[in-house]
Amino acid sequence: MKLENSFLGILRVVILIVLTVSLIGAAVFAFKGVTSLNATPAQYKHNEPNIQEMVDEIKKTLEQPQAAPAAPAQTSTPSQEPAKDDKLDQEVEKQFKLLSDFLQRYNKHYTDPAGMRRNLKNSAQNNAFDPQSEESVLSYATGRTLLLNKLLTDQAILDVVSKKSEEEILSRNGFFSAVNSVYPAYFVKEKKKAADFEREEQSEAIAKQSGAMMSLYIAGGMFAAFLVISLILVLVKIERNLRVRPI
């Protein structure tokens, strides 16, 4: 009888320990499941272009020899368009003038000035971090104007450029082409990084949500175990009371 009571006492301690672990485990997995169930992908924070880094990048290209075929000559006289009131159009005009003034150094002109203006405007409207935001589009345009101004009016840069041949400057891989492409290329690359980041975040969020359901199932199972063990503990207590109560 004493041995049996000792056994029941040990069993009660073991059940209490398992009961506590089950309750704590159920709470932990439930919390993990609930927090992961609402997991959402993080938003990519775009890095604004560093104009000075782009200027330095173009300067490096001036130190490298160019061996690409020259671009087709631009021979038509540029037409003058009326001043625009829209801020984006104003920035486009500034960019067009900077580019045209540089070409005129070599007696070259855009054969389709209106088309070039459209290209500059479309670049801002398509490549801006948020094409639906006028502020983002204008920020893109003002940044490109600033870059072109630094590259095409800086006397130190122009002095280096003047030592290059016309073919090196106006070739498809030359200075003028690099000036035109470096800014939009940065935005294209940055938006690709954003797309890759968001795709990875989306996959991670889906994985967390799937794991959340598993955690909730485990929490439910552990809570069910808690209830079953509680019932067993009550039955053991009743059993002990019945054994010690005189008939």
Side-chain angles (χ1 to χ4, degrees):
M1 188 70 175
K2 291 179 63 176
L3 181 62
E4 187 176 353
N5 287 336
S6 298
F7 174 77
L8 290 175
I10 294 172
L11 179 60
R12 185 179 65 175
V13 172
V14 171
I15 291 175
L16 283 172
I17 293 174
V18 174
L19 192 66
T20 302
V21 171
S22 298
L23 186 59
I24 294 174
V28 170
F29 279 99
F31 176 79
K32 181 180 178 181
V34 170
T35 54
S36 298
L37 192 61
N38 297 321
T40 55
Q43 296 297 315
Y44 182 82
K45 185 176 181 180
H46 289 288
N47 297 310
E48 293 295 332
N50 188 315
I51 300 299
Q52 189 56 49
E53 284 186 1
M54 293 183 180
V55 171
D56 293 339
E57 180 181 337
I58 297 297
K59 285 181 178 179
K60 287 182 181 178
T61 65
L62 293 174
E63 301 171 358
Q64 302 171 358
Q66 302 293 331
Q74 313 286 328
T75 55
S76 66
T77 302
S79 61
Q80 297 296 323
E81 289 198 356
K84 306 295 179 64
D85 294 329
D86 182 80
K87 291 182 179 179
L88 177 57
D89 287 330
Q90 290 175 15
E91 291 301 320
V92 167
E93 279 303 312
K94 292 176 186 177
Q95 295 168 20
F96 182 80
K97 186 176 187 309
L98 287 165
L99 294 167
S100 296
D101 288 350
F102 183 83
L103 285 176
Q104 286 178 12
R105 291 171 175 267
Y106 302 93
N107 296 317
K108 306 291 184 184
H109 304 288
Y110 284 111
T111 56
D112 183 10
M116 185 59 189
R117 288 184 175 94
R118 284 195 301 271
N119 289 340
L120 293 170
K121 189 171 184 177
N122 289 339
S123 179
Q125 293 173 328
N126 295 328
N127 293 329
F129 291 142
D130 184 3
Q132 304 303 317
S133 167
E134 291 183 7
E135 182 180 354
S136 180
V137 172
L138 184 59
S139 176
Y140 175 99
T142 54
R144 189 171 191 178
T145 302
L146 177 61
L147 176 65
L148 292 177
N149 188 64
K150 282 181 174 289
L151 289 171
L152 300 178
T153 64
D154 184 277
Q155 193 57 49
I157 294 178
L158 294 177
D159 288 342
V160 177
V161 172
S162 65
K163 299 176 183 178
K164 301 283 185 177
S165 68
E166 181 176 315
E167 181 178 347
E168 288 177 312
I169 296 167
L170 300 181
S171 68
R172 288 174 184 164
N173 293 325
F175 171 77
F176 190 68
S177 177
V179 166
N180 267 309
S181 63
V182 64
Y183 192 78
Y186 174 86
F187 279 78
V188 170
K189 183 178 179 180
E190 187 68 13
K191 290 173 79 171
K192 182 180 182 304
K193 287 166 62 177
D196 292 341
F197 176 85
E198 290 171 359
R199 185 164 48 250
E200 292 175 2
E201 284 293 312
Q202 186 67 35
S203 299
E204 187 175 338
I206 293 173
K208 284 182 178 179
Q209 291 171 358
S210 300
M213 295 305 300
M214 180 60 67
S215 295
L216 291 175
Y217 290 144
I218 294 174
M222 296 189 79
F223 187 70
F226 166 79
L227 295 178
V228 172
I229 294 171
S230 297
L231 179 61
I232 293 174
L233 185 61
V234 171
L235 293 176
V236 169
K237 187 173 181 61
I238 293 173
E239 175 69 14
R240 290 194 66 193
N241 289 338
L242 288 176
R243 287 178 178 275
V244 296
R245 183 181 301 173
I247 301 177

